[in-house]
Amino acid sequence: DAGVTQSPTHLIKTRGQQVTLRCSPKSGHDTVSWYQQALGQGPQFIFQYYEEEERQRGNFPDRFSGHQFPNYSSELNVNALLLGDSALYLCASSLSGLSRGYTFGSGTRLTVV
Amino acid sequence: GQNIDQPTEMTATEGAIVQINCTYQTSGFNGLFWYQQHAGEAPTFLSYNVLDGLEEKGRFSSFLSRSKGYSYLLLKELQMKDSASYLCAVRDRVRGSTLGRLYFGRGTQLTVWP
Protein backbone atom coordinates (compact mmCIF):
# COMPACT_ATOMS: atom_id res chain seq x y z
CA ASP A 1 0.00 0.00 0.00
CA ALA A 2 1.65 3.20 -1.21
CA GLY A 3 1.88 6.03 1.25
CA VAL A 4 1.85 9.69 0.29
CA THR A 5 3.71 10.47 -2.92
CA GLN A 6 5.06 13.91 -3.70
CA SER A 7 6.69 15.22 -6.85
CA PRO A 8 9.14 16.50 -7.71
CA THR A 9 11.58 15.71 -4.89
CA HIS A 10 13.80 18.70 -5.61
CA LEU A 11 13.26 21.90 -7.53
CA ILE A 12 15.28 25.05 -8.22
CA LYS A 13 13.45 28.18 -9.36
CA THR A 14 14.31 31.83 -9.92
CA ARG A 15 12.71 34.71 -8.02
CA GLY A 16 9.47 35.79 -9.64
CA GLN A 17 8.76 32.43 -11.22
CA GLN A 18 5.82 30.17 -10.48
CA VAL A 19 5.91 26.59 -9.22
CA THR A 20 3.48 23.68 -8.95
CA LEU A 21 3.99 20.85 -6.50
CA ARG A 22 2.00 17.64 -6.57
CA CYS A 23 0.74 15.18 -3.97
CA SER A 24 -0.99 11.82 -4.18
CA PRO A 25 -2.57 10.84 -0.87
CA LYS A 26 -2.41 7.48 0.83
CA SER A 27 -5.01 5.04 -0.45
CA GLY A 28 -8.29 5.53 1.42
CA HIS A 29 -7.53 9.08 2.53
CA ASP A 30 -9.69 11.96 1.30
CA THR A 31 -8.15 15.04 2.96
CA VAL A 32 -4.88 16.69 2.01
CA SER A 33 -2.98 19.32 3.98
CA TRP A 34 0.11 21.23 2.90
CA TYR A 35 2.91 22.41 5.17
CA GLN A 36 6.00 24.54 4.68
CA GLN A 37 9.09 23.59 6.67
CA ALA A 38 11.99 26.01 6.70
CA LEU A 39 15.41 24.72 7.70
CA GLY A 40 15.59 24.10 11.44
CA GLN A 41 11.91 24.85 11.96
CA GLY A 42 8.76 22.83 12.45
CA PRO A 43 6.23 22.50 9.62
CA GLN A 44 3.85 25.47 9.21
CA PHE A 45 0.28 24.84 8.04
CA ILE A 46 -0.51 26.35 4.62
CA PHE A 47 -3.98 25.01 3.82
CA GLN A 48 -6.19 21.95 3.76
CA TYR A 49 -8.38 20.49 1.03
CA TYR A 50 -11.41 18.27 1.39
CA GLU A 51 -14.10 17.50 -1.19
CA GLU A 52 -12.14 19.59 -3.72
CA GLU A 53 -12.47 22.76 -1.66
CA GLU A 54 -10.05 24.69 0.51
CA ARG A 55 -11.39 24.18 4.02
CA GLN A 56 -8.82 25.86 6.23
CA ARG A 57 -5.94 28.21 5.60
CA GLY A 58 -2.92 29.22 7.60
CA ASN A 59 -1.17 32.58 7.63
CA PHE A 60 0.14 32.50 4.06
CA PRO A 61 -0.36 35.12 1.33
CA ASP A 62 -2.60 34.65 -1.69
CA ARG A 63 0.48 33.78 -3.76
CA PHE A 64 -0.04 30.31 -2.30
CA SER A 65 -2.97 28.51 -3.86
CA GLY A 66 -4.03 24.95 -4.33
CA HIS A 67 -6.37 22.49 -5.84
CA GLN A 68 -7.77 19.06 -5.09
CA PHE A 69 -8.89 16.71 -7.83
CA PRO A 70 -11.73 14.14 -7.80
CA ASN A 71 -9.20 11.37 -7.13
CA TYR A 72 -8.14 13.27 -3.96
CA SER A 73 -4.72 14.21 -5.29
CA SER A 74 -3.68 17.80 -4.79
CA GLU A 75 -1.48 20.56 -6.14
CA LEU A 76 0.18 23.47 -4.41
CA ASN A 77 0.93 26.52 -6.55
CA VAL A 78 3.17 29.37 -5.55
CA ASN A 79 3.33 32.52 -7.69
CA ALA A 80 5.91 35.31 -7.74
CA LEU A 81 8.46 33.27 -5.86
CA LEU A 82 10.57 34.96 -3.19
CA LEU A 83 13.87 33.83 -1.74
CA GLY A 84 12.02 33.23 1.54
CA ASP A 85 9.85 30.60 -0.12
CA SER A 86 12.83 28.25 -0.13
CA ALA A 87 11.79 25.36 2.11
CA LEU A 88 10.68 21.75 2.29
CA TYR A 89 7.02 21.48 1.30
CA LEU A 90 5.23 18.57 2.94
CA CYS A 91 1.92 17.05 2.02
CA ALA A 92 -0.06 15.13 4.64
CA SER A 93 -3.13 13.04 3.93
CA SER A 94 -5.79 11.82 6.32
CA LEU A 95 -9.33 10.53 6.46
CA SER A 96 -11.91 13.22 7.18
CA GLY A 97 -12.88 13.38 10.81
CA LEU A 98 -10.60 13.87 13.76
CA SER A 99 -8.55 10.75 13.21
CA ARG A 100 -5.03 10.14 14.39
CA GLY A 101 -3.89 8.96 11.02
CA TYR A 102 -1.93 11.73 9.34
CA THR A 103 0.54 10.36 6.81
CA PHE A 104 3.24 12.64 5.48
CA GLY A 105 5.06 12.50 2.19
CA SER A 106 8.82 12.94 1.96
CA GLY A 107 8.35 16.43 0.64
CA THR A 108 9.55 18.64 -2.17
CA ARG A 109 12.71 20.64 -1.51
CA LEU A 110 12.21 24.02 -3.22
CA THR A 111 15.18 26.34 -3.64
CA VAL A 112 14.58 29.86 -4.93
CA VAL A 113 17.65 31.67 -6.28
CA GLY B 1 -3.24 31.64 18.22
CA GLN B 2 -1.05 28.69 18.93
CA ASN B 3 2.24 28.61 20.80
CA ILE B 4 4.17 25.35 21.08
CA ASP B 5 7.52 25.23 22.83
CA GLN B 6 10.08 22.43 22.97
CA PRO B 7 13.86 22.35 23.52
CA THR B 8 15.98 22.87 20.44
CA GLU B 9 18.58 20.19 21.12
CA MET B 10 19.21 17.24 23.43
CA THR B 11 21.95 14.64 23.66
CA ALA B 12 22.03 11.20 25.30
CA THR B 13 24.01 7.97 25.17
CA GLU B 14 23.01 4.59 23.82
CA GLY B 15 20.88 2.57 26.23
CA ALA B 16 19.85 5.62 28.23
CA ILE B 17 16.41 7.17 28.71
CA VAL B 18 15.55 10.66 27.46
CA GLN B 19 12.47 12.83 28.05
CA ILE B 20 11.53 15.54 25.56
CA ASN B 21 9.12 18.12 26.95
CA CYS B 22 6.55 20.14 25.07
CA THR B 23 4.41 22.98 26.40
CA TYR B 24 1.58 24.53 24.47
CA GLN B 25 -0.98 27.29 24.55
CA THR B 26 -3.81 26.76 22.14
CA SER B 27 -7.50 27.21 21.57
CA GLY B 28 -9.79 24.39 20.55
CA PHE B 29 -7.39 21.63 21.60
CA ASN B 30 -8.16 18.31 20.01
CA GLY B 31 -5.16 16.07 20.44
CA LEU B 32 -1.40 16.15 20.67
CA PHE B 33 0.92 14.26 18.35
CA TRP B 34 4.59 13.35 18.41
CA TYR B 35 6.45 12.75 15.17
CA GLN B 36 9.99 11.62 14.40
CA GLN B 37 11.76 13.20 11.43
CA HIS B 38 15.13 12.14 10.07
CA ALA B 39 16.93 14.74 7.99
CA GLY B 40 15.39 15.05 4.54
CA GLU B 41 12.66 12.53 5.26
CA ALA B 42 8.95 12.58 6.04
CA PRO B 43 7.78 12.98 9.62
CA THR B 44 6.63 9.60 10.91
CA PHE B 45 3.95 9.16 13.54
CA LEU B 46 5.04 8.13 17.03
CA SER B 47 2.16 8.80 19.40
CA TYR B 48 -1.16 10.51 19.96
CA ASN B 49 -2.75 11.76 23.19
CA VAL B 50 -6.16 13.34 23.51
CA LEU B 51 -6.94 12.47 27.15
CA ASP B 52 -4.72 13.05 30.18
CA GLY B 53 -2.33 10.29 31.03
CA LEU B 54 0.37 8.07 29.67
CA GLU B 55 0.32 6.19 26.37
CA GLU B 56 2.93 3.47 26.02
CA LYS B 57 4.09 1.97 22.76
CA GLY B 58 7.18 -0.20 22.91
CA ARG B 59 10.25 1.92 23.70
CA PHE B 60 8.23 5.13 23.32
CA SER B 61 5.76 6.65 25.78
CA SER B 62 3.92 9.93 25.70
CA PHE B 63 2.22 11.82 28.50
CA LEU B 64 -0.37 14.59 28.39
CA SER B 65 -1.72 17.04 30.95
CA ARG B 66 -4.34 19.24 29.32
CA SER B 67 -4.80 21.46 32.37
CA LYS B 68 -1.08 22.27 32.37
CA GLY B 69 -0.68 22.45 28.59
CA TYR B 70 2.15 19.98 28.88
CA SER B 71 3.30 16.80 27.21
CA TYR B 72 6.44 14.73 27.13
CA LEU B 73 7.85 12.00 24.95
CA LEU B 74 9.89 9.36 26.74
CA LEU B 75 12.35 7.26 24.79
CA LYS B 76 13.85 4.22 26.50
CA GLU B 77 16.82 2.01 25.61
CA LEU B 78 18.11 4.60 23.18
CA GLN B 79 19.66 3.41 19.94
CA MET B 80 21.84 5.25 17.47
CA LYS B 81 18.99 5.18 14.96
CA ASP B 82 16.91 7.29 17.35
CA SER B 83 19.06 10.31 16.43
CA ALA B 84 16.49 12.54 14.72
CA SER B 85 14.28 15.57 15.18
CA TYR B 86 11.20 15.03 17.36
CA LEU B 87 8.22 17.21 16.57
CA CYS B 88 5.41 18.03 18.98
CA ALA B 89 2.18 18.98 17.22
CA VAL B 90 -1.17 20.14 18.57
CA ARG B 91 -4.39 19.76 16.63
CA ASP B 92 -7.07 22.38 16.83
CA ARG B 93 -10.67 22.01 15.83
CA VAL B 94 -12.50 24.58 13.79
CA ARG B 95 -16.03 25.15 15.03
CA GLY B 96 -18.56 23.49 12.79
CA SER B 97 -15.97 21.30 11.13
CA THR B 98 -14.75 17.76 11.60
CA LEU B 99 -11.41 18.72 10.14
CA GLY B 100 -8.48 19.80 12.26
CA ARG B 101 -5.06 21.18 11.48
CA LEU B 102 -1.73 20.53 13.12
CA TYR B 103 0.42 23.20 14.72
CA PHE B 104 4.03 22.12 15.17
CA GLY B 105 6.79 23.12 17.50
CA ARG B 106 10.18 23.77 15.92
CA GLY B 107 11.38 20.29 16.82
CA THR B 108 13.96 18.86 19.22
CA GLN B 109 17.12 17.55 17.59
CA LEU B 110 18.17 14.47 19.55
CA THR B 111 21.70 13.13 19.16
CA VAL B 112 22.45 9.67 20.55
CA TRP B 113 26.13 8.96 21.23
CA PRO B 114 27.68 5.49 21.42
Side-chain angles (χ1 to χ4, degrees), chain A residues 35 40-45, chain B residues 1-8 20-35 64 68-72 86-92 101-108:
Chain A
Y35 292 82
Q41 303 292 320
Q44 299 295 311
F45 177 79
Chain B
Q2 320 289 341
N3 186 31
I4 301 165
D5 193 38
Q6 53 182 127
T8 304
I20 303 175
N21 296 323
C22 173
T23 58
Y24 65 89
Q25 294 174 314
T26 183
S27 57
F29 175 86
N30 212 293
L32 187 142
F33 296 75
W34 284 96
Y35 284 86
L64 175 66
K68 295 182 179 178
Y70 168 70
S71 173
Y72 68 72
Y86 290 85
L87 300 164
C88 173
V90 172
R91 179 169 63 189
D92 72 350
R101 55 187 163 179
L102 298 179
Y103 290 89
F104 285 86
R106 59 188 302 162
T108 298

Side-chain angles (χ1 to χ4, degrees), chain A residues 3-62:
Chain A
V4 176
T5 304
Q6 291 187 243
S7 64
T9 55
H10 295 84
L11 203 53
I12 299 176
K13 288 286 189 178
T14 304
R15 276 179 298 176
Q17 284 189 314
Q18 178 264 345
V19 68
T20 297
L21 311 182
R22 296 176 175 82
C23 172
S24 293
K26 181 179 178 179
S27 177
H29 286 181
D30 58 8
T31 303
V32 173
S33 301
W34 287 91
Y35 292 82
Q36 180 194 65
Q37 186 175 24
L39 201 60
Q41 303 292 320
Q44 299 295 311
F45 177 79
I46 304 175
F47 43 51
Q48 182 182 70
Y49 278 84
Y50 170 65
E51 292 185 327
E52 302 179 49
E53 291 186 12
E54 182 183 295
R55 298 292 179 163
Q56 299 187 64
R57 189 177 183 91
N59 189 26
F60 280 81
D62 292 344

